[in-house]
């Protein structure tokens, strides 16, 4: 979230699309209700009428996988009707930037496409530079090569008639939704988006979010209270685990993973550090080497020296152009290229897309360690449905982990709040906290390499001192993440002594004199104490619910990021009532500002050369309507899912996202426009269960509420198939099938797509064969395909094709 | 001081945290259920289920609505069940809170079916041993200054609990606010019960017993007669 949970209450219009917040983020509705009490409008757009829709002022259906068409239509509406926030767009976004004249979009492809590699050469997606190396701009937005004009041209095709033909949303519903949401383009009004996996889990996942980001920039909704782009995270600490580099493509704090082509630290830092020649651009990432070197110092302590590149060469590098995502790992495992696997706090046999492939992949291992609260479908895969235990060589070890309340530590919620939690009861039996397990594992691996090995240096040099009296100490880890001064360091005339905690990332150094396990978290645990453990209910001066002394928030306790876009050029808030920051004449008050520089203009309207543009994390300081960094194009474009019910993309000549990954084993079958699988399928969660159900299916109270996997379908489809409400039916895809209880409901309606009737069904993915035992309730992921977003490789589990048959 | 609930269905999201919290606090067993083609489960209140969120899909004025109704005992003023039982050791009204409480002595009721039948909201349920059960307002919690378990866990503010005067004030504010969105919004039997529901549409669409069934408040003539001639069983046990 650019904003945070409580801030939802400040919104004037809340769009819930790509998520089902009432069901899956129930507490968020406390703030949704507060906003509505104050007069906000709640919009729900979803293939199915959900518990969220039940509370909304407006509901519109759309076919799964057509969000860009829907939102592209909104961009066109905003531009056609002139509803954008003109000053904001012209001054704070890259709408005025002139794009390279070679940039083209034709037949669904952007310039530079290589069909063999299924990849783009992005060199034409660049900005024109002036003689000083600063992007050329036309703040009047009239130049035919400026981003604003290219945006207009790109979305000209997205008229409501065409959009409706694709999404199945009636045209009048599209218009009403556009009108209601675009009203927040008025200065002082704020619209927010609450989205989740309904947007990310597609072959166009990143571009779904990009489309909304463009809308938010056009309407001036970034940086303001009640605005922002807000991802509702699916687990309490997903934000934290992402920040600390759970994913393969980053290091902690969103630093880049090193590539084989960058063998030295200098080359790595050089390639990762953006350069801007614009004196008004803060270009915050210019500090990159301070963060990367401080991270290496945190990894290797005294062993990391300038002479050995701070241990950079000891770390693994990824091959250039190769991806190592979940889909790739299980593809390699399926092909027999892995020996061992730690399934840690996860249940891939049910959670991974194309779970049948995943389960077979587990059988190709020599060993697997399952670290979890209970045995699950992953640990027990070898005696699951369709498996022959005598044919499986994989040796499975179970390490019982304790639950979150039995250990001390922090979680970081969707709103970027790092919240410290104390230990409740002690762990049961032999179960242990993850920290204890990892710490001991590290010691054992170090022991194993003490007498040599293939490449023992990084393991032996790893700093591994996080125990107190032999037990894992979460405070030591939290302090390490914050970072220390490793020498006496003088900053701006003040000396900070060796061994003390760094006050904030502005103090980190690239010479090895500081450490920080994650620069974004530098300021979270300082000499003033554990900031995340704070629990004050005092609000900030603006009274908008920031509660700056309750827990701690990255970066540097800034509760709403890009908040310098919430004010005009002179530092006066667009919204006088729910203001985030404002210029007092000598400084900012309210939230922690995005840098303390003065406003762009003084009160008499003169440009202040000491100021900086508000989007400080972007190289050129402007919000990116044109986004040249993505794998699949600088503007979002509608492509059909890998499996689609239509034979034609009505917006361009490409069916599938031209750079979406496609996997090639026999387990990766797919069937688009295939009469054997005529219905659109999607997956989702319900309030009563969580993820694969590992923690909820074993709870009798929750099983009482939702005892069985079900498939929801319209009354029309049920009639067509002769299916009765409550009857068990079979749902199948090109990859697998499962038995479900039919819920025949008015909440699903058939879509009219290009004149034809298209049915959609949906299945929750909370179930698995392991429990409950007296019935076979299986995972919906047996149906889902192995493809995903080309930027993130998140799987496309929200739109695929199925059949439903009577048993 | 007398206590009351306000159940504002216009902000209930049907998450059913209340249903689970009720079972957890009262240590009631989970029922073995099947999905019968609806999210609602169990299908009805029972001896082991005091609170149930009823869910109905209704088309109202051409628009689909999914109505949630967290059902529970209304803790009536002049509770008909208490009158029908006429046996304070089994059914009584707690004077401090107004909670209508059933005890294990309900197994000795002369005519439990009369007690069940007297309820205008069809709430009491009989267990295997003959005793009756229903929501007890979490009297043990309330007496110790805590909110009822269902109210405590409600994330949206649909469930509210407090001194009756305060609740009536909130109810009135909520009703006025709700009417802006739902012109038909109304409170259900607010003068007769301590659990006041605020609904957006015709209460019958939520649940057959959302409002008191006609003529059910108060005793039937038959019950009154039986009470006059009833003596022995309950009297006897009462003396013990």
């Amino acid at each position: 979230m650019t904003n945070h949970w409580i801030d939802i209450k400040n919104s004037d219009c809340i769009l819930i699309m790509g998520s089902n917040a009432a069901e899956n983020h129930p507490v968020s509705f406390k703030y949704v209700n507060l906003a509505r009490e104050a007069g906000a409008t709640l919009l729900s757009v979803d293939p199915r009428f959900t518990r969220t829709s039940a509370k909304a002022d407006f509901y519109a259906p759309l076919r799964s996988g057509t969000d860009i068409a829907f939102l592209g239509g909104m961009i066109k509406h905003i531009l056609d009707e002139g509803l954008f926030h003109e000053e904001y767009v012209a001054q704070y976004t890259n709408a005025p930037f002139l794009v390279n004249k070679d940039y083209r979009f034709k037949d669904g492809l952007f310039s530079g496409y290589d069909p063999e590699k299924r990849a783009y050469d992005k060199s034409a997606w660049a900005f024109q530079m002036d003689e000083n190396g600063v992007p050329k701009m036309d703040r009047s937005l009239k130049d035919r090569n400026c981003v604003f004009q290219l945006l207009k041209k790109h979305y000209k095709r997205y008229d409501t008639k065409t959009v409706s033909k694709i999404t199945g949303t009636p045209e009048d519903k599209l218009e009403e939704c556009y009108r209601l949401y675009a009203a927040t383009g008025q200065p002082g009004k704020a619209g927010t988006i609450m989205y989740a996996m309904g947007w990310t889990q597609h072959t166009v996942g990143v571009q779904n979010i990009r489309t909304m980001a463009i809308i938010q920039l056009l309407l001036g909704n970034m940086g303001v209270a009640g605005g922002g782009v807000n991802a509702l995270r699916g687990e309490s600490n997903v934000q934290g685990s992402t920040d600390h580099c759970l994913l393969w493509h980053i290091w902690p704090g969103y630093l880049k993973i090193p590539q084989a082509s960058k063998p030295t630290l200098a080359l790595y830092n050089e390639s990762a550090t953006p350069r801007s020649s614009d004196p008004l651009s803060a270009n915050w990432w210019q500090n990159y080497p301070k963060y990367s070197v401080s991270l290496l110092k945190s990894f290797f302590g005294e062993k990391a020296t300038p002479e050995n590149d701070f241990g950079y060469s000891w770390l693994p590098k990824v091959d250039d152009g190769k991806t190592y995502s979940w889909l790739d790992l299980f593809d390699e495992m399926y092909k027999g290229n892995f020996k061992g696997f730690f399934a840690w706090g996860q249940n891939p046999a049910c959670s991974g897309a194309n779970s049948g492939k995943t389960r077979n992949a587990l059988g190709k291992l020599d060993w697997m360690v399952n670290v979890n609260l209970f045995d699950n479908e992953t640990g027990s895969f070898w005696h699951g449905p369709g498996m022959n235990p005598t044919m499986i060589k994989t040796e499975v070890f179970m390490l019982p982990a304790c639950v979150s309340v039995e250990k001390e530590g922090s979680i970081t919620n969707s709103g970027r709040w790092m919240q410290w939690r104390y230990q409740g009861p002690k762990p049961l039996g032999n179960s242990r906290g993850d920290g204890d397990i990892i710490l001991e594992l590290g010691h054992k691996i170090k022991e194993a390499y003490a007498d040599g090995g293939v490449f023992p240096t990084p393991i032996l040099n790893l700093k591994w001192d996080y125990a107190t009296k032999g037990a894992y100490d979460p405070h030591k880890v939290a302090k390490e993440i914050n970072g220390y001064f490793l020498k006496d360091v003088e900053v701006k005339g003040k000396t900070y002594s060796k061994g003390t905690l760094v006050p904030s990332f502005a103090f980190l150094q690239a010479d090895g004199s500081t450490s920080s396990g994650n620069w974004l978290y530098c300021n979270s645990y300082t000499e003033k104490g554990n900031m995340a453990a704070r629990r004050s209910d005092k609000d900030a001066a603006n009274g908008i619910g920031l509660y700056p002394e309750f827990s701690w928030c990255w970066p540097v306790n800034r509760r709403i990021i890009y908040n310098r876009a919430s004010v005009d050029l002179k530092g006066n808030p667009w919204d006088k009532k729910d203001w985030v920051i404002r210029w007092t004449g000598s400084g900012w008050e309210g939230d922690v500002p995005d840098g303390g520089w003065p406003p762009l203009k003084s009160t008499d309207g003169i440009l202040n050369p000491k100021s900086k543009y508000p989007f400080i994390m972007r190289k050129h300081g402007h919000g990116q309507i044109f986004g040249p960094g993505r794998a699949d194009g600088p503007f979002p474009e509608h492509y059909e899912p890998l499996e689609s019910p239509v034979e034609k993309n009505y917006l361009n000549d490409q069916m599938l996202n031209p750079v979406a990954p496609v996997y090639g084993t026999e387990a990766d079958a797919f069937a688009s426009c295939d009469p054997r699988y005529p219905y659109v399928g999607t997956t989702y969660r319900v309030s009563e269960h969580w993820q694969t159900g590992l923690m909820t299916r074993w709870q009798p109270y929750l099983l009482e509420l939702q005892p069985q996997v079900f498939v929801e379908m319209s009354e029309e489809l049920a009639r067509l198939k002769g299916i009765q409400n409550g009857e068990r039916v079979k749902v199948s895809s090109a990859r697998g099938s499962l038995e479900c209880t039919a819920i025949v409901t008015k909440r699903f309606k058939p879509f009219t797509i290009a004149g034809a009737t298209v049915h959609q069904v949906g299945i929750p993915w909370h179930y698995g064969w392991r429990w409950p035992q007296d019935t076979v309730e299986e995972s919906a992921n047996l149906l889902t395909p192995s493809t995903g977003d080309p930027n993130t490789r998140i799987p496309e589990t929200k739109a695929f094709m199925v059949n439903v048959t009577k048993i | 001081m007398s206590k009351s609930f306000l159940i504002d269905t216009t902000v209930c999201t049907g998450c059913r945290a209340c249903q689970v919290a009720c079972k957890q606090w009262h240590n009631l067993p989970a029922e073995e259920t099947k999905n019968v083609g609806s999210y609602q489960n169990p299908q009805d209140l029972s001896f082991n289920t005091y609170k149930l969120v009823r869910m109905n899909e209704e088309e109202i004025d051409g628009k689909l609505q999914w109505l949630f109704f967290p059902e529970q005992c209304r803790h009536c003023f002049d509770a008909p069940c208490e009158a029908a039982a006429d046996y304070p050791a089994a059914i009584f009204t707690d004077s401090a809170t107004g909670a209508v409480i059933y005890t294990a002595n309900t197994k000795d009721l002369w005519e439990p079916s009369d007690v069940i039948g007297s309820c205008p909201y069809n709430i009491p349920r009989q267990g295997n041993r003959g005793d009756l059960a229903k929501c007890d307002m979490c009297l043990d919690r309330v007496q110790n200054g805590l909110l009822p378990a269902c109210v405590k866990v409600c994330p949206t503010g649909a469930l509210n609990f407090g001194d009756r005067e305060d609740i009536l004030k909130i109810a009135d504010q909520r009703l006025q606010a709700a009417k802006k969105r739902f012109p038909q919004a109304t409170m259900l039997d607010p003068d007769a019960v301590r659990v006041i529901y605020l609904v957006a549409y015709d209460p019958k669409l939520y649940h057959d017993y959302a409002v008191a069934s006609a003529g059910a408040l108060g005793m039937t003539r038959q019950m009154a007669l039986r009470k006059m001639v009833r003596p022995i069983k309950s009297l006897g046990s009462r003396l013990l």
Side-chain angles (χ1 to χ4, degrees):
Chain A
M1 282 180 155
T2 56
N3 294 41
H4 60 99
W5 293 108
I6 296 173
D7 182 64
I8 294 167
K9 80 180 172 74
N10 297 318
S11 194
D12 297 302
C13 187
I14 301 167
L15 172 61
I16 302 187
M17 182 169 173
S19 82
N20 178 6
E23 300 199 34
N24 300 326
H25 300 87
V27 181
S28 71
F29 255 64
K30 177 173 172 180
Y31 304 105
V32 172
N33 283 338
L34 287 173
R36 295 185 78 215
E37 275 174 27
T41 311
L42 175 61
L43 314 176
S44 163
V45 179
D46 198 289
R48 168 186 63 128
F49 188 97
T50 66
R51 280 182 259 197
T52 300
S53 318
K55 295 291 114 179
D57 300 294
F58 167 89
Y59 166 72
L62 91 169
R63 169 171 65 96
S64 275
T66 63
D67 302 74
I68 291 176
F70 189 104
L71 297 174
M74 193 185 298
I75 293 176
K76 178 174 160 54
H77 176 87
I78 291 167
L79 296 174
D80 287 355
E81 306 293 322
L83 301 171
F84 53 96
H85 187 325
E86 207 171 334
E87 194 178 350
Y88 188 107
V89 170
Q91 301 295 336
Y92 295 161
T93 76
N94 67 11
F97 287 32
L98 306 192
V99 174
N100 189 328
K101 286 178 180 158
D102 297 337
Y103 164 77
R104 294 282 180 283
F105 175 75
K106 196 166 172 281
D107 304 334
L109 295 170
F110 296 90
S111 346
Y113 186 62
D114 180 339
E116 265 177 39
K117 289 189 190 154
R118 292 178 59 79
Y120 282 106
D121 166 3
K122 298 186 241 177
S123 53
W125 312 352
F127 299 117
Q128 297 180 35
M129 295 292 181
D130 68 12
E131 60 284 4
N132 299 320
V134 175
K136 285 189 190 169
M137 302 179 207
D138 172 17
R139 298 255 189 222
S140 74
L141 309 178
K142 292 201 176 93
D143 191 295
R144 59 191 291 262
N145 284 314
C146 82
V147 167
F148 188 76
Q149 294 300 330
L150 294 177
L151 181 78
K152 260 191 170 169
K153 194 173 153 195
H154 191 89
Y155 291 102
K156 208 173 144 191
R157 296 164 293 135
Y158 287 66
D159 58 88
T160 49
K161 198 173 165 206
T162 309
V163 170
S164 173
K165 203 170 163 185
I166 293 168
T167 60
T169 315
E171 275 189 81
D172 60 334
K173 288 278 176 195
L174 289 172
E175 279 157 12
E176 191 182 352
C177 182
Y178 297 166
R179 183 176 54 76
L180 290 168
Y181 195 77
T184 64
Q186 210 183 320
K189 292 285 175 194
T192 190
I193 170 66
M194 296 166 69
Y195 77 90
M197 298 304 174
W199 269 2
T200 56
Q201 292 183 345
H202 292 279
T203 39
V204 291
V206 166
Q207 297 289 7
N208 280 332
I209 322 307
R210 279 271 305 135
T211 323
M212 193 65 208
I214 291 172
I215 290 171
Q216 292 296 67
L217 287 171
L218 288 174
L219 298 174
N221 282 332
M222 296 306 295
V224 304
V229 170
N230 295 306
L232 315 183
R233 303 307 213 127
E235 302 197 29
S236 63
N237 197 26
V238 163
Q239 186 62 52
S241 58
T242 313
D243 299 339
H244 292 297
C245 95
L246 181 78
L247 301 174
W248 73 271
H249 68 298
I250 46 172
W251 271 359
Y254 304 94
L255 303 182
K256 292 185 160 57
I257 192 85
Q259 294 170 307
S261 60
K262 316 282 180 322
T264 66
L265 180 61
L267 281 170
Y268 167 75
N269 278 337
E270 172 65 27
S271 69
T273 309
R275 306 250 176 262
S276 164
S277 308
D278 189 339
L280 288 173
S281 177
N283 183 26
W284 195 266
W285 279 115
Q286 66 176 295
N287 297 304
Y288 195 96
K290 297 174 185 171
Y291 308 150
S292 59
V293 171
S294 294
L295 175 64
L296 291 167
K297 285 299 291 180
S298 166
F299 283 165
F300 298 115
E302 288 174 0
K303 297 284 166 50
T305 64
E307 293 71 35
N308 64 18
D309 257 2
F310 300 104
Y312 174 80
S313 64
W314 301 332
L315 288 163
K317 315 286 184 295
V318 299
D319 287 339
D320 294 55
K322 197 168 165 163
T323 54
Y324 301 76
S325 69
W326 175 285
L327 288 173
D328 301 303
L329 297 183
F330 281 96
D331 192 53
E332 292 297 327
M333 195 189 293
Y334 184 83
K335 292 173 185 162
N337 294 335
F338 275 22
K339 283 194 169 145
F341 173 53
F342 273 83
W344 203 312
Q346 55 176 243
N347 190 8
C350 290
S351 67
N354 199 356
S355 286
K357 179 181 177 183
T358 305
R359 292 175 189 185
N360 284 316
L362 297 174
K364 309 274 174 70
L365 296 164
D366 290 348
W367 57 265
M368 170 168 65
V369 181
N370 190 27
V371 190
N372 220 316
L373 308 185
F374 308 114
D375 179 40
N376 56 7
E377 289 78 7
T378 300
S380 279
F381 82 94
W382 51 273
H383 64 104
M387 292 287 175
N388 179 355
T390 63
M391 301 297 287
I392 293 169
K393 60 172 179 167
T394 313
E395 188 176 5
V396 181
F397 303 88
M398 172 82 195
L399 299 183
C402 70
V403 303
S404 59
V405 297
E406 292 171 338
K407 58 194 180 185
E408 187 176 10
S410 75
I411 65 110
T412 302
N413 75 7
S414 302
R416 297 169 286 107
W417 289 21
M418 175 189 179
Q419 305 187 50
W420 199 260
R421 293 176 170 185
Y422 301 101
Q423 185 182 38
K426 295 258 184 290
L428 274 180
N430 291 327
S431 69
R432 301 175 70 184
D434 296 312
D436 296 278
I437 297 172
I438 294 168
L439 192 69
E440 187 171 338
L441 186 64
H443 285 311
K444 294 285 178 197
I445 293 172
K446 273 175 171 282
E447 271 173 36
Y449 278 85
D451 301 326
V454 177
F455 185 36
T457 321
I459 291 161
L460 298 179
N461 286 344
L462 179 70
K463 192 167 89 70
W464 203 242
D465 53 355
Y466 305 114
T468 296
K469 292 181 186 164
Y472 167 78
D473 183 345
H475 292 274
K476 281 192 173 164
V477 174
K479 288 176 183 174
E480 184 72 43
I481 287 168
N482 179 82
Y484 293 96
F485 289 105
L486 305 174
K487 296 175 188 159
D488 290 353
V489 175
E490 196 183 300
V491 184
K492 289 180 187 164
K494 195 178 167 195
T495 304
Y496 295 86
S497 42
K498 179 180 174 178
T500 59
L501 293 157
V502 179
S504 89
F505 53 67
F507 295 80
L508 294 176
Q509 306 294 327
D511 61 2
S513 60
T514 56
S515 71
S516 176
N518 188 335
W519 72 277
L520 267 185
Y521 281 75
C522 192
N523 185 234
S524 63
Y525 206 130
T526 66
E527 292 300 320
K528 288 181 185 160
N530 183 353
M531 298 292 124
R534 297 177 303 170
R535 290 294 181 269
S536 165
D537 61 359
K538 196 177 131 208
D539 204 354
N542 48 21
I544 56 169
L546 300 181
Y547 301 106
E549 291 166 33
F550 186 97
S551 76
W552 178 87
C553 161
W554 70 253
V556 288
N557 210 30
R558 182 175 301 134
R559 304 283 160 143
I560 296 179
I561 52 182
Y562 295 122
N563 56 29
R564 284 185 58 253
S566 70
V567 295
D568 65 16
L569 296 182
K570 295 176 182 174
N572 302 313
W574 304 114
D575 185 343
K576 302 283 179 285
K577 190 172 128 301
D578 295 331
W579 58 279
V580 184
I581 59 165
R582 65 184 176 201
W583 183 251
T584 62
S586 57
W588 295 99
E589 62 173 342
D591 195 8
V592 177
D594 251 321
W597 306 284
L600 282 158
K601 282 185 178 172
S602 61
T603 41
D604 42 13
I606 299 165
L607 195 70
N608 190 338
K610 285 187 191 153
S611 184
K612 301 286 177 198
Y613 296 131
F615 287 86
I616 63 168
M617 300 309 289
R618 309 314 323 171
K619 184 161 71 171
H620 303 302
H622 288 67
Q624 298 203 118
I625 286 176
F626 188 83
R630 302 281 71 82
D632 38 9
F635 287 133
E637 176 65 13
H638 168 72
Y639 302 108
E640 288 291 327
L642 177 70
E643 293 186 330
S644 158
V646 296
E647 285 181 319
K648 186 171 166 358
N649 180 347
Y650 294 100
L651 275 163
N652 62 61
D653 292 345
Q654 306 295 319
M655 274 299 280
L656 179 65
N657 183 344
V659 295
V662 182
Y663 295 85
T665 77
E666 69 281 4
D668 297 304
F670 63 94
S672 199
C673 265
D674 187 322
R676 290 174 301 164
Y677 305 105
Y679 312 124
V680 179
T682 193
T683 63
Y684 38 72
R685 308 198 310 194
V686 297
S687 304
E688 297 82 2
H689 285 293
W690 200 59
Q691 308 295 60
T692 68
L694 179 96
M695 289 168 75
T696 54
R697 279 186 273 133
W698 298 82
Q699 298 281 352
Y701 291 154
L702 299 176
L703 210 54
E704 174 191 280
L705 300 174
Q706 291 284 15
Q708 290 173 292
V709 62
F710 57 82
V711 56
E712 287 179 284
M713 66 183 76
S714 68
E715 292 171 343
E716 291 81 356
L717 178 60
R719 214 173 297 131
L720 188 73
K721 305 290 284 189
I723 291 167
Q724 303 297 315
N725 190 30
E727 182 182 350
R728 290 290 272 187
V729 296
K730 185 176 154 186
V731 184
S732 51
S733 78
R735 294 155 297 277
S737 67
L738 72 153
E739 217 183 280
C740 303
T741 302
I743 292 186
V744 178
T745 172
K746 291 181 168 54
R747 294 179 295 97
F748 254 128
K749 292 278 181 213
F751 293 101
T752 304
I753 306 292
T757 300
V758 170
H759 295 280
Q760 180 166 350
V761 301
I763 309 173
W765 59 279
H766 299 297
Y767 296 87
W769 61 270
R770 181 81 181 74
W771 192 264
Q773 272 179 318
D774 49 349
T775 54
V776 177
E777 306 301 327
E778 263 289 15
S779 173
N781 277 316
L782 291 170
L783 305 170
T784 55
S786 322
T787 182
D789 181 90
N791 299 282
T792 61
R793 307 236 156 189
I794 194 169
E796 185 161 65
T797 60
K798 293 296 175 257
F800 50 94
M801 297 301 290
V802 298
N803 195 11
V804 182
T805 46
K806 283 176 80 82
I807 294 173
Chain B
M1 194 182 293
S2 169
K3 301 287 184 188
S4 283
F5 290 76
L6 169 67
I7 302 189
D8 181 353
T9 64
T10 67
V11 294
C12 172
T13 54
C15 76
R16 302 196 278 184
C18 55
Q19 207 177 310
V20 173
C22 177
K23 288 224 158 174
Q24 191 176 26
W25 181 256
H26 294 97
N27 204 19
L28 294 166
E31 299 189 29
E32 281 190 21
T33 56
K34 288 269 173 221
N35 188 320
V36 298
S38 159
Y39 280 27
Q40 184 186 310
N41 241 329
Q43 294 310 302
D44 196 7
L45 294 174
S46 75
F47 187 73
N48 291 322
T49 301
Y50 304 165
K51 180 124 191 167
L52 173 68
V53 179
R54 294 190 181 269
M55 301 178 162
N56 276 325
E57 294 167 21
E58 296 287 345
E59 267 171 29
I60 302 170
D61 300 331
K63 275 177 81 178
L64 181 62
Q65 303 294 342
W66 198 2
L67 305 177
F68 309 124
F69 190 81
E71 187 190 24
Q72 64 174 86
C73 168
R74 310 300 198 280
H75 297 280
C76 304
F77 291 98
D78 304 321
C81 59
E82 185 180 352
D86 191 26
Y87 179 14
I91 299 180
F92 65 94
T93 299
D94 175 63
S95 58
T97 59
V100 177
I101 300 297
Y102 288 12
T103 74
N105 293 328
T106 47
K107 70 178 188 304
D108 300 322
L109 286 171
W110 178 246
E111 281 290 349
S113 60
D114 275 358
V115 173
I116 294 168
S118 75
C119 177
Y121 301 101
N122 186 31
I123 296 293
R125 295 291 187 273
Q126 192 165 27
N128 293 334
R129 284 173 297 187
D131 44 348
L132 302 183
K134 63 158 194 74
C135 162
D136 62 359
M137 201 190 267
C138 283
L139 189 61
D140 48 354
R141 290 178 60 93
V142 173
Q143 284 171 339
N144 285 286
L146 300 173
L147 288 169
C150 58
V151 179
K152 176 77 184 166
V153 299
C154 177
T156 64
L159 304 185
N160 305 271
F161 181 82
D163 292 341
R164 181 159 177 90
E165 280 173 26
D166 298 338
I167 288 294
L168 287 177
K169 263 185 229 157
I170 299 170
D172 202 50
Q173 288 163 5
R174 291 278 188 96
L175 178 64
Q176 296 317 317
K179 280 201 162 169
K180 288 181 199 154
R181 277 196 166 86
F182 312 104
Q184 301 174 59
T186 179
M187 286 195 272
L188 306 182
D189 305 329
D191 301 327
V193 296
R194 288 187 180 83
V195 179
I196 303 167
Y197 285 85
L198 171 56
V199 296
Y201 305 103
D202 176 2
K204 290 279 180 201
L205 297 175
Y206 291 78
H207 176 40
D208 287 346
Y209 293 95
V211 281
S213 42
L217 279 169
M219 269 186 292
T220 63
R221 183 180 149 78
Q222 197 187 7
M223 276 160 55
L225 278 171
R226 201 147 52 204
K227 204 167 137 188
M228 284 165 66
V229 299
R230 169 206 318 178
I232 318 300
K233 183 181 170 187
S234 52
L235 251 187
S237 58
R238 230 172 292 185
L239 290 172
L240 296 172

